[in-house]
């Protein structure tokens, strides 16, 4: 089902997402140029930190949240074959989110909220920044509720039947988001908002960091799940095969939901306010959550291999060449899996409890997350946009070739930009610094890598502009499609009835409740028993 | 329950789960490889942590950042490399992190000897990292950061701030000179000027 309400809602959400993305890429280019120290006339810490704060917020919060909401509405109606529950409410959610973004954007662009997308008090931003960010989260809760209601409606209408995989994953993401955002919501409501409005003089930074860490890890799964939906539900079909195992896919989503949540302390390994016992506990969970990703890699590669062999590929690697590399969805899957492997390796270093000290807060970290987030995740967002655009606008993509050029150039640009960042990180360059020359010989070794980083940034910006251009031109000038075809593309093979624990979230929400209480209960309560001294607000 | 029966309970659970899910043969193998890898990583980390005591800085100790200068161990005249080593020979170094520097701005310490840093922030968040070494910690206002390490190689190192702390963050560093153990002299009891 692809009614006009859904089309419109999805397109409106997507345009905010991709508009934010395109804009933020210009900030990104400015940042690599400024950071390189090669152009003294653009150097300014004030502009740099306003820029990084804006870039981070646009990419991590605006692009992702709006893309996920739009994709969720589309997936729910398309896979459940039922209209959106309460479209007025959905539009209200959209409005609240957008209003929040505008409210936060003003202080960001004026340099009144250069506190980075991670907030990190006691440096204080203008109150409108925190209010805007909170509204963005609140609006997205409306989306999550709509997803969950639609799942329940479908289940009531189809007792005993198995929820289609794409919707199962989308509902998992809605639950994941409600749990995930609770951490930062508590930080906002009990700490940041009253403090920035002057109702409270001081702020317990240890507590604030603990609550933010609650959100900071699972949020990456919130961003990742749509990408995994693409891998499971679109890629096998696009490659000319079928999904290797529908049930293991469900298991992977459940494992992400359950283990992705109680592990935020790997962001606090280097922090003094939590004891190492808790950090060790979260470390174990951090590695456990690698399992669903390893499963996903296997299932998707196996599906691709089956498709490649069906297309006549032979031998150990022949099937790879036989894949339809010119299909955007397949190409995106291959490129993003490559980046996932490299980024996953880096992630294991980050997660390693003691080894983390070598890379913590160095340029390695933006290298890592640009590779896996701006690389793997965003490449699959691109592919989903190319997949859905014709069906949302009723027009053919204006150019198949340019789509491939865009995907390849993004991959190449990411490679050129993130490789030197990893090296720079190992050489000790901190993240989040503007151009700087420390007067130390050690830091002279950084220079050659900065040039590569700039080249990578240019390639990426061109690719990003091409992406937005292709979508815009398709929507305005694309050749009309004759008929609105059904659900070609989305994997909706019938599945046998599954045990309730694989078809429902009730049990899993209870498991998460227990795990969260175990892993965050004492670490949060300790701040009410410790004699803490909270600092006052600081400017920058 | 002994470890044998524990293992067999676990494997019968895995079997039940795999039949209920109709897991493919190849997938079973991969699931085991994946589990094996995770157990190996977690196991080696737990081993170094629990047996050899390798932990990241996790010293839960609070302090009033606003009154560091008024006295106590982080008063200006108490900072730097401490004249008296700890009982086990570890050298103690006390630093204050504040916009935009680590005070005192220069310290000299010997290679090959355990150094314990105690660092407090007098304002906002900072991070301390000495590149190419594992001396790294966050410095959170209200808490004392404590990290112990050994520098194997003599040389001049920068200590960089690696958490955004304001417009001068780029310029927040100090100098750490690691000397050979022979060249190193314990600091005299003198008032240090930064
Ligand atoms: C044209 C492409 C891009 C360029 C040139 C670029 C460049 C940069 C640079 C130079 C930084 C600052 C690093 C630092 O000072 O530590 C940064 C930070 C960041 N970027 Fe990008 N980026 C690009 C695309 C993306 C994309 C597509 C995403 C995610 C979807 C993304 C997410 C982020 C985030 C979350 C930060 C962190 C900000 C912070 O540390 O507070 N970037 N980027
Ligand atoms: Cu994380
Ligand atoms: Cu600093």
């Amino acid at each position: 089902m692809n009614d006009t309400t859904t089309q419109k809602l999805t397109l409106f959400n997507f345009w905010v997402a991709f508009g934010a993305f395109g804009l933020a890429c210009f900030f990104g280019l400015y940042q690599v140029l400024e950071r390189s120290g090669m152009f003294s006339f653009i150097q300014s810490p004030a502009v740099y930190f306003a820029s990084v704060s804006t870039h981070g917020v646009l990419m991590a919060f605006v692009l992702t949240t709006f893309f996920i909401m739009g994709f969720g509405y589309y997936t729910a109606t398309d896979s459940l074959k039922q209209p959106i529950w309460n479209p007025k409410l959905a539009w209200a959610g959209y409005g609240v989110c957008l209003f929040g973004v505008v409210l936060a954007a003003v202080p960001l662009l004026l340099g009144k909220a250069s506190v980075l997308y991670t907030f990190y008090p006691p440096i204080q931003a203008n109150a409108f920044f925190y209010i805007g960010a909170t509204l963005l989260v609140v609006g997205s809760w409306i989306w999550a509720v709509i997803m969950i209601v639609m799942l329940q409606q479908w289940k009531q209408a189809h007792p005993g039947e198995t929820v289609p995989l794409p919707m199962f994953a989308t509902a998992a993401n809605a639950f994941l988001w409600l749990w995930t955002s609770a951490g930062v919501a508590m930080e906002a409501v009990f700490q940041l908002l009253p403090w920035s409005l002057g109702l409270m003089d001081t702020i317990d930074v240890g507590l604030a960091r603990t609550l933010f860490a609650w959100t900071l890890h699972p949020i990456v799964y919130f961003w990742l799940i749509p990408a995994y939906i693409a891998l499971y539900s679109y890629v096998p079909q696009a490659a000319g095969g079928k999904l290797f195992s529908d049930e293991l896919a469900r298991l992977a989503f459940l494992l992400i939901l359950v283990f992705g949540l109680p592990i935020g302390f790997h962001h606090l390994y280097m922090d003094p306010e939590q004891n190492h016992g808790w950090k060790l506990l979260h470390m174990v969970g951090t590695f456990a959550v690698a399992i669903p990703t390893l499963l996903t890699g296997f299932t998707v590669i196996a599906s691709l291999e089956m498709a490649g062999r069906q297309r006549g590929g032979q031998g150990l690697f022949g099937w790879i060449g036989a894949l339809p590399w010119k299909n955007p969805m397949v190409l995106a899957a291959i490129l993003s899996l490559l980046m996932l492997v490299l980024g996953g390796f880096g992630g294991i270093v980050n997660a390693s409890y003691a080894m983390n000290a070598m890379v913590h807060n160095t340029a390695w970290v933006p290298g890592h997350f640009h590779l896996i987030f701006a690389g793997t995740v965003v490449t699959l967002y691109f592919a989903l946009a190319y997949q859905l655009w014709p069906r949302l606008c009723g027009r053919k993509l204006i150019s198949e070739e340019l789509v491939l050029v865009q995907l390849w150039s993004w991959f190449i640009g990411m490679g050129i930009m993130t490789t030197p960042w990893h090296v720079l990180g190992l050489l000790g360059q901190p993240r989040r610094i503007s151009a700087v020359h420390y007067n130390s010989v050690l830091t002279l070794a950084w220079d050659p890598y900065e040039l590569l980083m700039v080249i990578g940034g240019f390639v990426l910006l061109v690719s990003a502009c091409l992406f937005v251009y292709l979508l815009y031109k398709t929507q305005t000038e694309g050749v009309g499609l004759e008929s609105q075809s059904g659900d070609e593309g989305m994997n909706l093979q019938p599945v046998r009835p599954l045990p309730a624990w694989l078809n429902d979230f009730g049990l899993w929400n209870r498991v998460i409740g227990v795990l969260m209480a175990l892993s965050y209960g004492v670490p949060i309560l300790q701040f009410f028993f410790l004699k803490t001294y909270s600092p006052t607000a600081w400017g920058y | 329950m002994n470890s044998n029966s524990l293992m067999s309970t676990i494997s019968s659970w895995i079997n039940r789960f795999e039949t209920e899910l109709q897991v493919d043969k190849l997938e079973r193998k991969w699931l085991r490889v994946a589990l094996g890898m995770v157990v190996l990583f977690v196991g080696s980390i737990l081993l170094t942590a629990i047996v050899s005591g390798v932990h990241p800085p996790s010293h839960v100790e609070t302090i009033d950042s606003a009154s560091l200068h008024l006295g106590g161990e982080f008063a200006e005249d108490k900072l730097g490399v401490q004249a008296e080593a700890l009982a086990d020979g570890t050298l103690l170094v006390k630093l204050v992190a504040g916009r935009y520097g680590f005070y005192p701005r220069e310290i000299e310490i010997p290679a090959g000897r355990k150094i314990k840093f105690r660092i407090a922030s007098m304002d906002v968040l900072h991070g301390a990292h000495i590149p190419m070494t594992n001396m790294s910690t966050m410095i959170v206002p209200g808490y004392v950061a404590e990290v112990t390490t050994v520098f194997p190689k003599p040389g001049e190192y920068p200590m960089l701030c690696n958490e955004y702390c304001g417009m001068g963050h780029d310029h927040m560093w100090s100098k750490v000179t690691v000397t050979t153990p022979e060249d190193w002299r314990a600091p005299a009891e003198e008032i240090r000027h930064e």
Side-chain angles (χ1 to χ4, degrees):
Chain A
M1 189 173 308
N2 212 325
D3 55 300
T4 44
T5 317
T6 312
Q7 284 173 348
K8 210 167 155 198
L9 199 51
T10 304
L11 271 176
F12 269 70
N13 274 286
F14 277 2
W15 269 120
V16 177
F18 296 139
F21 162 79
L23 183 65
C25 283
F26 281 92
F27 287 97
L29 182 72
Y30 164 76
Q31 286 155 210
V32 288
L33 290 174
E34 208 272 6
R35 207 177 199 283
S36 73
M38 296 191 290
F39 310 91
S40 50
F41 57 95
I42 55 167
Q43 281 174 16
S44 153
V47 179
Y48 186 81
F49 290 116
S51 174
V52 183
S53 301
T54 311
H55 174 85
V57 168
L58 286 179
M59 292 297 196
F61 298 149
V62 183
L63 161 68
T64 49
T65 309
F66 280 90
F67 179 84
I68 292 164
M69 293 193 298
F71 185 53
Y73 290 130
Y74 179 88
T75 306
T77 50
D78 205 42
S79 66
L80 298 181
K81 316 262 175 263
Q82 72 189 29
I84 288 183
W85 173 72
N86 206 338
K88 281 215 183 89
L89 189 62
W91 281 111
Y94 174 82
V96 171
C97 288
L98 194 58
F99 180 62
V101 170
V102 173
L103 224 49
V106 175
L108 271 172
L109 293 173
L110 294 177
K112 302 278 183 228
S114 299
V115 296
L116 306 176
Y117 83 107
T118 43
F119 305 158
Y120 291 168
I123 299 185
Q124 193 183 55
N126 181 287
F128 283 111
F129 174 65
Y130 302 117
I131 297 172
T134 307
L135 288 179
L136 175 59
V137 172
V138 170
S140 70
W141 287 345
I142 296 179
W143 166 84
V145 169
I146 294 176
M147 291 299 105
I148 292 165
V149 170
M150 287 181 71
L151 175 80
Q152 300 308 345
Q153 285 180 331
W154 187 89
K155 280 187 149 179
Q156 259 157 28
H158 303 79
E161 284 180 46
T162 302
V163 182
L165 178 62
M167 188 55 198
F168 183 77
T170 302
N173 210 15
F175 282 114
L176 177 79
W177 181 235
L178 291 176
W179 280 106
T180 300
S181 52
V184 75
M186 285 189 275
E187 185 192 355
V189 171
F190 297 118
Q191 296 193 284
L192 296 175
L193 290 174
W195 174 64
S196 67
L197 291 169
L199 304 174
M200 225 165 75
D201 291 334
T202 61
I203 186 160
D204 187 337
V205 180
L207 176 60
R209 289 178 65 75
T210 303
L211 290 174
F212 198 82
W214 164 318
T215 296
L216 196 50
H217 190 72
I219 197 172
V220 308
Y221 290 107
F222 175 58
W223 305 335
L224 187 66
I225 282 181
Y228 276 15
I229 295 178
L231 288 177
Y232 282 118
S233 298
Y234 286 101
V235 170
Q237 251 86 342
K242 65 179 189 57
L243 181 59
F244 187 68
S245 165
D246 179 278
E247 286 152 33
L248 273 211
R250 282 163 210 268
L251 183 70
F253 285 116
L254 285 173
L255 287 175
I256 287 176
L257 172 61
V258 173
F259 286 114
L261 274 157
I263 62 178
F265 281 12
H266 59 230
H267 295 271
L268 299 186
Y269 280 157
M270 293 296 134
D271 270 44
E273 77 275 6
Q274 293 294 350
N275 194 278
H276 56 67
W278 298 110
K279 296 180 183 175
L280 267 181
L281 181 72
H282 286 233
M283 179 279 293
V284 176
T286 301
F287 278 93
V289 82
I291 291 176
T293 289
L294 289 165
L295 272 181
T296 302
F298 176 85
T299 312
V300 175
I301 293 172
S303 311
L304 285 175
E305 181 180 346
M306 288 192 318
R309 292 199 187 287
Q310 253 170 30
R311 299 168 61 95
Q314 312 231 315
L316 199 53
F317 296 112
W319 61 270
I320 300 178
L323 288 172
W325 283 71
K326 298 218 156 131
N327 177 305
M329 188 55 82
V330 176
L331 178 65
I334 296 171
L335 299 180
S336 55
L337 280 174
L338 276 171
M339 293 187 276
L340 184 65
V341 171
L342 296 171
F345 169 78
I348 289 176
V349 174
N350 303 345
S352 297
Y353 197 60
M355 218 187 322
N356 177 266
M358 302 293 292
V359 296
H360 175 77
N361 268 358
T362 67
W364 168 284
V365 175
H368 165 72
F369 68 69
H370 278 83
L371 190 57
I372 211 156
F373 173 31
T376 303
V377 171
V378 170
T379 298
L380 287 163
Y381 286 7
F382 292 156
L384 286 170
Y386 292 136
Q387 176 86 26
L388 302 192
W389 228 250
R391 307 181 60 202
L392 293 173
C393 315
R395 293 168 191 264
K396 274 211 229 78
L397 289 175
I398 54 158
S399 164
E400 298 279 335
E401 288 76 41
L402 283 180
V403 165
L404 300 179
V405 170
Q406 193 273 321
L407 290 171
W408 273 109
S409 55
W410 189 257
F411 173 73
I412 292 166
M414 267 309 154
I416 301 176
M417 186 171 80
T418 58
T419 310
W421 274 357
H422 280 88
V423 180
L424 283 168
L426 293 177
L427 292 173
Q429 183 180 90
R431 70 186 283 199
R432 295 172 161 177
I433 48 168
S434 73
V436 59
H437 295 285
Y438 298 106
N439 54 353
S440 157
V441 248
L442 197 63
T443 59
L444 286 180
W446 296 348
D447 288 347
Y449 300 100
E450 311 243 329
L451 180 65
L452 271 177
M453 164 183 94
V454 171
I455 299 172
F458 266 108
V459 177
L460 287 169
L461 180 63
V462 171
S463 180
C465 291
L466 183 56
F467 170 70
V468 175
Y469 169 83
L470 284 170
L471 296 188
Y472 178 73
K473 279 286 174 189
T474 297
Q475 189 166 346
T476 52
E477 290 170 23
V479 183
L481 287 174
E482 285 83 59
S483 67
Q484 274 280 26
S485 42
D487 340 276
E488 103 275 329
M490 194 184 282
N491 166 55
L492 290 175
Q493 47 192 11
V495 251
R496 69 191 175 93
L498 290 177
W501 62 271
L502 266 182
N503 200 33
D504 188 72
F505 296 96
L507 168 69
W508 300 114
N509 280 320
R510 284 196 290 276
V511 171
I512 293 169
V514 173
L515 288 178
M516 289 304 272
L518 277 177
S519 41
Y520 280 100
V522 176
I524 289 178
L525 285 177
Q526 71 163 353
F527 295 105
F528 299 93
F529 295 112
L530 277 174
K531 172 145 187 51
T532 53
Y533 305 86
S534 304
T536 50
W538 291 77
Y540 31 82
Chain B
M1 190 167 4
N2 66 31
S3 67
N4 255 340
S5 70
L6 183 70
M7 287 307 282
S8 65
T9 323
I10 291 176
S11 75
S12 80
W13 261 84
I14 295 181
N15 276 335
R16 244 184 63 193
F17 155 84
E18 286 176 341
T19 32
E20 192 158 323
L21 268 186
Q22 299 178 345
V23 181
D24 176 271
K25 253 203 336 257
L26 254 178
E27 262 169 349
R28 280 179 201 217
K29 279 195 194 143
W30 176 247
L31 208 59
R32 281 173 176 62
V33 173
L35 275 172
M37 265 157 55
V38 167
V39 168
L40 183 75
F41 290 145
V42 170
S44 40
I45 291 173
L46 285 179
L47 205 72
T48 53
I50 292 166
V51 179
S52 325
V54 179
H55 293 289
S58 313
H59 184 73
V60 189
E61 178 187 338
T62 61
I63 190 165
D64 186 2
S65 283
S67 58
L68 294 181
H69 58 289
L70 298 181
E73 64 166 316
F74 290 100
E76 202 174 343
D77 57 342
K78 306 248 173 55
L79 299 179
V81 183
Q82 304 296 299
E84 246 172 79
L86 300 176
D88 65 349
T90 303
L91 274 181
L92 184 60
V93 179
K94 291 185 181 170
L95 301 174
V96 163
R99 303 206 278 191
Y100 293 99
F102 298 98
Y103 305 101
R105 297 300 291 258
E106 288 183 25
I107 55 169
E108 212 174 285
I109 45 178
R113 186 159 164 191
K114 262 197 187 170
I115 316 282
K116 177 187 269 187
F117 292 90
R118 277 174 68 77
I119 315 178
S121 163
M122 61 182 200
D123 42 41
V124 298
L125 280 174
H126 299 279
H129 183 208
I130 301 183
M132 326 274 288
T133 76
N134 63 0
M135 189 286 166
S136 175
T137 182
M138 293 295 301
I139 304 159
V140 179
Y143 299 83
V144 179
E146 197 176 284
V147 53
T148 306
T149 190
V150 177
F151 298 95
K153 276 197 232 124
E156 268 199 13
Y157 296 82
M159 179 189 279
L160 305 177
C161 177
N162 71 0
E163 183 58 88
Y164 171 67
C165 54
M167 291 303 147
H169 166 54
D170 303 340
H171 298 279
M172 179 161 168
W173 73 84
S174 65
K175 200 166 103 186
V176 177
T177 309
V178 179
T179 65
T180 57
E182 303 79 57
D183 288 345
W184 188 76
R185 245 166 280 115
E189 288 275 5
E190 54 176 306
I191 295 180
R192 297 176 150 263
H193 300 282
E194 40 139 292

